[in-house]
Amino acid sequence: MAKEYKGFVKILLDQGVITDEQVTDAESLAVQTSKTVAITLVQLGYATEEEVMRSRATHNRMEYVDLTNVEIPEMVIELMPEAVARENTVLPIEQTDRGLKVLMSEPGDVDTIEKLRFILNRDVTVALATRSSIILAINRMYGQVEGESADSILQEFTDTAIDFTETVDDSGDGDGEDSQDGSAPIVRLVNLMIQEAVQLRASDIHIEPFEDRVRIRYRIDGVLHERDRLPKRQLGAIISRVKILASIDIAEKRREQDGRIKVNVGEKELDLRVSIIPTNMGQSGVLRLLDKDNIKIGIRQLGFSEDNYKVFNQLIRRPNGIILVTGPTGSGKTTTLYAAMNGLNRPDRKIITAEDPVEYYLPGINQVEVKHKIGLDFARIIRSMLRQAPNVILVGEMRDAETVSMGIQASLTGHLVFSTLHTNDAPTAITRMIDMGVPGYLVASSVVAILAQRLVRTICPKCRARYTPTESEIKESGVTEEQIAEATFMRGKGCNSCQKSGFRGRVGIYEMLMVDAKVREMIFANTPTNEIREYCMSQGMRTLYQDGLIKVCKGFTTFEEVYRVAKRTEQD
């Protein structure tokens, strides 16, 4: 005789989400692990957290809230202290006539409801949401970047006198064997740092030792923000934990060290590139967070204007030639090149890359990592690549004359070559290649286009609002009257979604130099860079600054952001 189920389990069975056998498995495991059937069903993968919570809400005749697209007013969030929200995993969602509606993940938790009524001195009504979505929403709504919050996620470690048993030398570099004796709090601390960095969309975590403290900073949208200050005694244990995760020798303290860490934060699978260097105050570490979602971006999402988008799409489909992307470190060159590779990656094309190091792994593309210790450098890899009969070659960086020469030879023998150079603008790339010792005629005959780029922060879509620039701002920027007539100037007021900064995300500004017959003649004649720039601008090339102003007028970013990354001088 079949067992008669009740409650939310019966609802899930009636909906066909789970089977009788799965319920039996879940009940058996729940008894063994002292967990609820609801949690066990999710852990076993028989039902999603959302399906379980919806059925529990239906059974208890309560409202279920999907927090995916819900924007909670800031005035409502301010009605509940962050410490209360985090401690009880609850979130205020709406102010009612009688008090406050809050989200919880446990419908029958009467003790917590009574506690909230006492602490908030308000009548509390309850709606249900999944625990994971509540935690994410708490981090999003209460998240602070500048370190103003007294309830910092790392506060318990900075305020509590936790002494980690370790051997600390005079330089504050205590990475001895004993540093892991009190590892549990440090393990948690490093995990929290990585988790918080992911939630705040940081690209780097900086662990920097000073005389009396350790500074933790996150780089968010290209700008560094100080997050916490830890006691100096914790430096050795933190660095040791990072080294262990990255499979780096913890006994080595005098040399620079590199490694990689693979972690899963929620549903995200991240690759962390670790760099450790010795400083006079101890070892300093930087963790670069490489998110695979970043390389799934298409060319359309890079931020090209319509005319540049069409030109770039035509360029990457050429049969041969060199396309250079230039800009300083952190200007988005790798993302642009990977977007181009994604656009070209088809079964009928063979693509090989030479990278130092391989940051992201692209399915369907042959990627080769530079290994200087065994003499496997860019030039040698390119030489070997040509024997593999590729259609497209990506060279991570044109670093020296030999690499440039090999790239040129590859392009002249019928290959399309992509690469990067560290120059401030597009015309300077030509001079840089010639300065490396490559003859001008080879540069002129192989390079078909140079794309210079920078990244500017975009205004937060949640708190953006129109504003009118002052006359002095207009005059200083050089915006024309025609542009002002059609412009929509925007600013971010600052909200919880953007951590009060007014910015969320970044977009590229570009300078596209096409090498036509006249430019080739100028390269042959060793013409100065400024004359090449003037000619290209007369042919319609927009400078980085001008492209930035267009994005300001369209309400994507601000004047200050463009000034931060591009100079107006000689670009008018």
Side-chain angles (χ1 to χ4, degrees), residues 19 21 103 109 130 175 219 229 231 247-248 250 260 304 311 316 322 329-330 338 352 354 368 435 522 539 550:
T19 64
E21 292 79 9
L103 294 177
D109 193 351
T130 62
D175 295 22
R219 189 182 295 277
R229 299 183 179 192
S247 301
I248 297 174
I250 65 170
R260 293 184 91 124
F304 283 119
V311 170
I316 66 173
I322 294 180
T329 302
Y338 278 5
I352 306 181
V368 185
D435 287 345
M522 297 172 90
Q539 297 300 302
I550 290 172

Side-chain angles (χ1 to χ4, degrees), residues 236-395:
I238 293 171
I239 294 293
S240 287
R241 176 60 184 162
V242 170
K243 284 185 175 184
I244 287 168
L245 289 171
S247 301
I248 297 174
D249 181 8
I250 65 170
E252 178 58 69
K253 304 175 195 174
R254 298 171 299 168
R255 297 180 184 175
E256 79 287 347
Q257 295 171 286
D258 297 300
R260 293 184 91 124
I261 304 171
K262 286 189 181 294
V263 294
N264 291 307
V265 179
E267 295 181 359
K268 280 184 178 289
E269 185 180 325
L270 295 174
D271 211 358
L272 273 64
R273 208 168 76 203
V274 178
S275 173
I276 308 286
I277 61 169
T279 71
N280 61 338
M281 291 296 171
Q283 293 185 94
S284 173
V286 176
L287 284 70
R288 168 72 61 89
L289 281 72
L290 304 174
D291 187 350
K292 291 181 180 178
D293 292 343
N294 294 344
I295 59 162
K296 294 175 183 174
I297 190 169
I299 297 170
R300 175 64 79 178
Q301 286 78 48
L302 292 174
F304 283 119
S305 57
E306 196 58 38
D307 53 346
N308 280 344
Y309 171 73
K310 289 177 181 175
V311 170
F312 191 72
N313 254 328
Q314 291 168 357
L315 279 172
I316 66 173
R317 281 161 177 79
R318 286 178 56 98
N320 64 299
I322 294 180
I323 299 170
L324 289 174
V325 180
T326 77
T329 302
S331 59
K333 300 188 298 294
T334 301
T335 303
T336 299
L337 289 174
Y338 278 5
M341 294 301 105
N342 286 331
L344 293 172
N345 189 9
R346 295 201 326 232
D348 62 342
R349 286 196 183 97
K350 184 175 178 72
I351 303 173
I352 306 181
T353 74
E355 301 172 65
D356 183 19
V358 173
E359 290 191 358
Y360 299 99
Y361 297 100
L362 301 168
I365 293 177
N366 299 273
Q367 294 172 274
V368 185
E369 187 159 316
V370 170
K371 293 185 173 68
H372 295 290
K373 289 181 180 178
I374 59 171
L376 191 64
D377 54 17
F378 280 116
R380 191 169 177 181
I381 292 171
I382 298 169
R383 198 176 291 115
S384 302
M385 276 181 180
L386 298 180
R387 302 189 195 109
Q388 299 269 320
N391 301 105
V392 180
I393 291 172
L394 168 60
V395 181

Side-chain angles (χ1 to χ4, degrees), residues 48-64:
T48 66
E49 190 180 7
E50 183 181 357
E51 287 169 338
V52 170
M53 191 54 66
R54 281 186 185 276
S55 63
R56 294 182 76 184
T58 302
H59 171 64
N60 289 280
R61 297 180 182 177
M62 297 174 72
E63 179 188 358
Y64 173 81

Side-chain angles (χ1 to χ4, degrees), residues 7 20 27 44 62 112 131 208 237 260 370 379 483 533 536:
D20 289 343
E27 287 179 336
L44 290 170
M62 297 174 72
T112 299
R131 180 180 174 82
E208 303 164 316
R260 293 184 91 124
V370 170
Q483 286 177 313
R533 180 184 294 109
C536 291

Side-chain angles (χ1 to χ4, degrees), residues 46 149 199 207 220-221 236 248 255 295 467:
Y46 294 156
S149 172
Q199 288 164 352
I207 304 165
I220 302 169
D221 292 333
I248 297 174
R255 297 180 184 175
I295 59 162
Y467 94 105

